[in-house]
Amino acid sequence: MSVTITFLGGAGTVTGSKYLVRHDGKALLVDCGLFQGYKQLRLRNWNPLPVAPDQINAVLLTHAHLDHSGYLPLLVKEGFTGHVYATPATRDLCKILLPDSGHIQEEDAEFANRHKLSKHETALPLYTRQDALDALPHIKTHETGRPFSPIPGWKATFSAAGHILGASSILLEVAGRRILFSGDLGRPDDLIMSPPDDAPQADTVLIESTYGDRTHPVDDILAELAAPLQRVAKRGGVAVVPVFAVGRAQALLHAIHLLKLRGDLPSSLPVFLDSPMAVHTTHLFEAHLGEHRLSQQDSRALTHGATMVNSTDESRALASRHGPMVILSASGMATGGRVLHHLAHYAGDHRNMVILTGYQAPGTRGASFASGAKTVRIHGRDVVVNAEVVQLQSASAHADANQLISWLRTMPQAPDQVYIVHGEAGPSDTLRARIKHELGWRALVPEAGSTWPT
């Protein structure tokens, strides 16, 4: 029997990554992500999967970001009983991200009900914090470079992908076929993460294409971040920085620390990290030395270079402070979390600044800020945007188009087939054309829901 892949998510979009591999009556899911961004994408989270969760034998996670892991609590809630395999750091991050995701969904549903914002009689969360806690015992860990068997007769191996702590590419071997899932690939020149390992030999490759149609600027994040923060500090304003709690928050903390050491920013400039999830993640860098570029001293400096804000009372108290100051808060695309309260409070003042630190998926509030919107809807009301909006081009944790091609070139031999995933239509097709013309390989952009052979 042949080995097939069904593209349940991460096809034609950068969210909801789910790839169902089937052979001889067995089914394995690589990644189990939430759809984010446009409402029509988010609504897909409520649709049943084309295979019953109790018929999926195992799940492999490339990394812990919610667009790759955030559907897991619902999968377990709806009947999945197998193991979820991940690296140790991915497991540690899922312990932070998944319960927080459930908590935010409960809060959002409660807020919608209290303010009668839902079109339904009662707004319900997709899953709860308890659902997420119930899913965590399913996660079993394996180190990179050590093959294991997720299903009898199937073999999987993690290799380092950079990007964030624990992120991996996955080589899956079944019925004589070798399928390589790139996961989200990091940059070889990332400020804090180590570069991805070379690509192992495979017959079929699924490669992400978030930045498949562009390259990162030559300037590094230090050069790009210094000038905006100098401006906002000089005028006594507040810089609100939506950050991804895992990865970008720590990179920004490290960058600000280095700028202060160099004298590019006043050492007295107050910095607040207002995200319990980001605070907990920051402490993990010391527990996973060797997976990133930071020394133990640098890792400790992450936790001392800013005021760590945990409670909601501490978060609210920031609104009574005057600038200059920098508030880093999740989420990175302003789709939820505490950053929404800061944006609503500070976006109307021209002295203030909103600094976007990475890719902003279409349909998110972050994308609205990036496009120059004069108003952004937050918690049911239109917030006027008078603050300066800056989008950093060098802060992305994703490999750019040239770096993706370079990673593919590290494969010992050409694969039979490349599927371009985890990208919008334009970037995915641009990367497809480059793979075809520069490498001479067969490349295809699969449609959501389609099934293809390996």
Side-chain angles (χ1 to χ4, degrees):
M1 293 182 65
S2 63
V3 181
T4 63
I5 303 175
T6 301
F7 296 85
L8 302 181
T13 175
V14 295
T15 71
S17 289
K18 299 183 198 71
Y19 309 107
L20 186 68
V21 183
R22 286 189 271 205
H23 171 67
D24 195 22
K26 300 293 185 181
L28 179 144
L29 195 62
V30 176
D31 280 341
C32 191
L34 280 179
F35 287 101
Q36 299 168 311
Y38 287 127
K39 185 174 182 179
Q40 62 264 36
L41 287 174
R42 288 184 277 117
L43 288 174
R44 292 188 193 177
N45 293 321
W46 297 89
N47 297 336
L49 296 177
V51 57
D54 63 359
Q55 297 302 303
I56 297 173
N57 301 95
V59 176
L60 304 178
L61 293 183
T62 61
H63 65 291
H65 275 153
L66 291 178
D67 58 329
H68 294 259
S69 74
Y71 191 87
L72 194 58
L74 190 58
L75 192 76
V76 172
K77 180 181 179 180
E78 295 188 342
F80 174 75
T81 59
H83 291 324
V84 179
Y85 297 95
T87 62
T90 294
R91 185 266 322 272
D92 291 349
L93 287 171
C94 282
K95 287 182 177 180
I96 298 170
L97 269 68
L98 296 181
D100 185 81
S101 173
H103 175 66
I104 287 175
Q105 291 182 64
E106 288 181 281
E107 280 190 333
D108 288 347
E110 190 275 334
F111 187 92
N113 289 326
R114 188 168 73 248
H115 294 275
K116 302 187 185 305
L117 300 176
S118 176
K119 295 178 181 177
H120 303 282
E121 184 174 340
T122 302
L124 297 173
L126 188 65
Y127 56 82
T128 65
R129 183 176 186 275
Q130 187 58 52
D131 292 332
L133 292 172
D134 292 342
L136 293 176
H138 289 259
I139 302 178
K140 308 299 178 185
T141 63
H142 287 277
E143 300 283 350
T144 57
R146 297 183 180 180
F148 60 94
S149 180
I151 297 173
W154 299 40
K155 186 168 74 172
T157 309
F158 293 123
S159 57
H163 188 56
I164 64 168
L165 283 179
S168 62
S169 300
I170 299 173
L171 181 65
L172 181 64
E173 299 175 72
V174 52
R177 301 298 292 172
R178 296 166 297 179
I179 312 164
L180 177 60
F181 301 82
S182 74
D184 285 2
L185 289 171
R187 304 168 59 171
D189 57 348
D190 190 89
L191 186 64
I192 59 173
M193 291 306 303
S194 300
D197 290 339
D198 287 351
Q201 185 59 49
D203 303 301
T204 300
V205 180
L206 278 70
I207 186 166
E208 69 122 319
S209 56
T210 311
Y211 284 80
D213 62 348
R214 73 203 91 162
T215 57
H216 297 312
V218 175
D219 283 348
D220 64 16
I221 189 173
L222 297 180
E224 199 177 7
L225 184 60
L229 288 183
Q230 287 166 353
R231 288 199 303 274
V232 77
K234 185 176 181 180
R235 62 186 183 236
V238 177
V240 179
V241 190
V243 288
F244 302 95
V246 180
R248 289 307 85 186
Q250 293 74 37
L252 268 290
L253 284 177
H254 187 55
I256 292 171
H257 170 66
L258 294 178
L259 289 172
K260 286 184 173 183
L261 286 179
R262 293 193 334 193
D264 291 339
L265 292 176
S267 59
S268 60
L269 178 65
V271 180
F272 297 89
L273 181 60
D274 184 17
S275 164
M277 186 164 56
V279 171
H280 294 145
T281 299
T282 302
H283 288 286
L284 284 181
F285 275 73
E286 274 197 86
H288 293 280
L289 294 172
E291 287 194 32
H292 51 80
R293 300 179 189 272
L294 303 183
S295 65
Q296 190 168 36
Q297 184 178 3
D298 289 334
S299 298
R300 285 177 181 163
L302 287 180
T303 60
H304 298 298
T307 299
M308 301 291 169
V309 179
N310 284 297
S311 73
T312 52
D313 287 342
E314 291 172 329
S315 179
R316 290 191 193 101
L318 291 178
S320 63
R321 289 183 57 99
H322 298 291
M325 65 175 171
V326 181
I327 301 173
L328 284 72
S329 187
S331 67
M333 297 185 196
T335 54
R338 292 181 182 178
V339 74
L340 297 185
H341 298 281
H342 298 304
L343 290 169
H345 185 69
Y346 292 109
D349 192 327
H350 67 91
R351 294 172 299 175
N352 299 333
M353 181 179 289
V354 177
I355 301 179
L356 305 170
T357 60
Y359 180 80
Q360 304 297 314
T364 62
R365 291 185 190 86
S368 295
F369 277 105
S371 68
K374 300 302 181 184
T375 62
V376 174
R377 197 158 185 82
I378 298 176
H379 293 149
R381 70 183 183 92
D382 291 324
V383 174
V384 175
V385 181
N386 291 319
E388 180 184 358
V389 177
V390 174
Q391 184 168 21
L392 302 181
Q393 301 300 318
S394 58
S396 173
H398 287 267
D400 68 16
N402 289 344
Q403 292 161 346
L404 292 171
I405 293 290
S406 294
W407 183 77
L408 289 172
R409 288 185 187 277
T410 65
M411 295 188 69
Q413 296 177 338
D416 298 332
Q417 178 69 53
V418 179
Y419 295 110
I420 294 91
V421 296
H422 199 277
E424 303 299 325
S428 292
D429 193 61
T430 299
L431 185 64
R432 176 203 61 77
R434 286 193 62 178
I435 291 170
K436 178 182 177 182
H437 296 300
E438 295 179 29
L439 303 181
W441 298 355
R442 290 179 55 189
L444 173 75
V445 181
E447 292 186 359
S450 64
T451 299
W452 290 88
T454 62

